[in-house]
Amino acid sequence: MSKALDIAIVGYGTAGQALAVLLTRDDHRVQVFEQAPTPGPVGAGFLLQPSGLQALWEMQLLPQVLEHGAVVRRLYGETPCGRAVMDMHYAGLDARLCGVGMQRGALFSLLDSAWQGREALHVDSRIVAIDETLRRVQDHRGHWHGPFDLVIATDGSASGLRAQVQGTRLDRVYPWGALWCLLPRGDWAFGDELRQRYVAARKMIGLLPVGTRPGDDEPRLSFFWSLPREGFGAWEQAGLEPWLDEIEQLWPEARQRLQGVNVQTQLARASYRDAVMERWYRGRLVLAGDAAHSMSPQLGQGVNMALLDAIALRDALRTEIGIDAALARYQGQRKAHVWLYQFWSRWLTPVFQSERDWVANARDLLFKPMGRMPGGRGHMLRVLSGTQHGLFGKLALDSAFIADLQAAVTSGDRRHDAMPMTPLAESACCPTEPTS
């Protein structure tokens, strides 16, 4: 752009925060509209992949991320009888790469601190409409804001502005959701692994190291329990003890982590949507993050894709002379990357979350051998790491980023080796914010 733009961002989640940071740094005049009276993180924890880590490196936030996050080198899933279903190591892709488990509260705080324009954040301001020019937005009190040169909708998977782009091909709620909470890590033996346990496709338990967050130095695990959305009520009515007894039978070590959980409100509920857009923008309205491409959490790519969207839109506005050309460039680049992840997340969901036992049995027999086939393991690792681009391409990672990541992780490993292991804390699990 040859001039600074007036830009409205609707939503202060990961995509909105990252865009606020990046566009303000490029001297655009940014205003953010957030419906929550007190903005904060939504959810427990997530896994940053190399793709998302590179985006944060470009934002000069990689050291802070590694200070609070937990390095993850292995993704492992098994049945209760110990049969390995999934066993992926980042070293199989590149010995210098890893993932980073992180608390949503930690990333929210880092991005919030990095934005040098927080006085332009409008809280308790739910945007309910946009005018015919797609340049002015109206909040729930009836006040109009604008005009803006660009309106970016980052208002999540249930976006209220998505339909205004008039390009929706698919928009539906997934029948399966989840229960989440943060737990003290204590002496958990798998400090650099995502561990999951499957009972056919009907039940899935996960534990992910997610490190610390600003203001809380207690290393934690993010706990995940898969559940049909229509089963939330029955779970609540049954009470906590039967559920904890079930976890004891399926995974005693996971039950031990939950010893501080004594009320059901310590677990947050999550639901998910699948939204596929024919186009991501119309006029001066453009989508980013889950508003553009919400998908099931099977590949764990939501946060990573949001960060990549922010970088791509920033770069398009830097590169192109006009806004129309910039939005076309952004849409083309991101759709080319996202479509494969939407495809695989849609087809993998019944394999891990459904009542189709025969599908789960086939998964248990075939998933791991398929990863040993020529080309199969590399493709799986690139998909899981966010670096697969189309059917045959690769998302290039900057050599300087890889070198910085390797140096920072090696330094962190040395510090960790010098620290004594602490026993499992007796404190209760950390309540999480409600998820949508």
Side-chain angles (χ1 to χ4, degrees), residues 157 187 339 414:
S157 61
D187 57 358
W339 76 266
R414 293 195 190 102

Side-chain angles (χ1 to χ4, degrees), residues 139-184:
D139 64 30
H140 65 289
R141 297 182 179 87
H143 299 151
W144 285 96
H145 305 268
F148 298 99
D149 298 307
L150 185 63
V151 177
I152 309 174
T154 62
D155 51 341
S157 61
S159 171
L161 294 179
R162 179 191 292 132
Q164 299 299 324
V165 172
Q166 299 179 3
T168 304
R169 192 173 77 196
L170 176 68
D171 187 358
R172 64 185 179 188
V173 178
Y174 269 110
W176 287 73
L179 299 170
W180 292 90
C181 70
L182 292 172
L183 305 169

Side-chain angles (χ1 to χ4, degrees), residues 1 281 284 316-317 319-331:
M1 295 291 106
Y281 75 97
R284 291 296 182 263
L317 290 171
T319 303
E320 299 295 338
I321 296 175
I323 295 177
D324 291 336
L327 297 184
R329 181 188 184 95
Y330 160 73
Q331 173 183 273

Side-chain angles (χ1 to χ4, degrees), residues 234-386:
W235 174 82
E236 190 173 54
Q237 292 177 6
L240 200 60
E241 289 305 317
W243 178 68
L244 291 173
D245 290 343
E246 183 178 10
I247 294 176
E248 175 72 35
Q249 295 176 0
L250 297 177
W251 197 357
E253 295 84 358
R255 173 63 182 90
Q256 184 185 13
R257 300 299 111 185
L258 291 162
Q259 63 180 328
V261 177
N262 46 48
V263 292
Q264 288 173 305
T265 53
Q266 289 176 275
L267 293 116
R269 301 177 183 183
S271 59
Y272 308 97
R273 300 183 74 90
D274 188 10
V276 179
M277 303 297 296
E278 294 285 357
R279 61 185 182 190
W280 289 20
Y281 75 97
R282 183 170 72 92
R284 291 296 182 263
L285 172 64
V286 62
L287 307 175
D290 282 347
H293 47 65
S294 60
M295 62 187 85
S296 103
Q298 292 305 323
L299 295 176
Q301 294 291 337
V303 169
N304 300 282
M305 292 295 177
L307 293 168
L308 291 174
D309 289 351
I311 293 290
L313 185 50
R314 185 275 313 267
D315 289 347
L317 290 171
R318 281 181 174 181
T319 303
E320 299 295 338
I321 296 175
I323 295 177
D324 291 336
L327 297 184
R329 181 188 184 95
Y330 160 73
Q331 173 183 273
Q333 178 182 340
R334 294 303 298 134
K335 284 188 68 175
H337 182 226
V338 165
W339 76 266
L340 183 72
Y341 290 86
Q342 290 185 307
F343 171 84
W344 278 122
S345 67
R346 193 175 307 119
W347 284 100
L348 282 173
T349 295
V351 175
F352 290 92
Q353 288 181 304
S354 73
E355 297 180 354
R356 302 171 186 173
D357 291 345
W358 68 271
V359 173
N361 291 334
R363 173 204 69 195
D364 294 348
L365 290 173
L366 301 175
F367 197 82
K368 189 176 179 184
M370 287 172 59
R372 298 196 186 103
M373 296 174 61
R377 191 169 191 81
H379 182 82
M380 286 184 177
L381 282 168
R382 287 192 298 273
V383 170
L384 289 170
S385 65

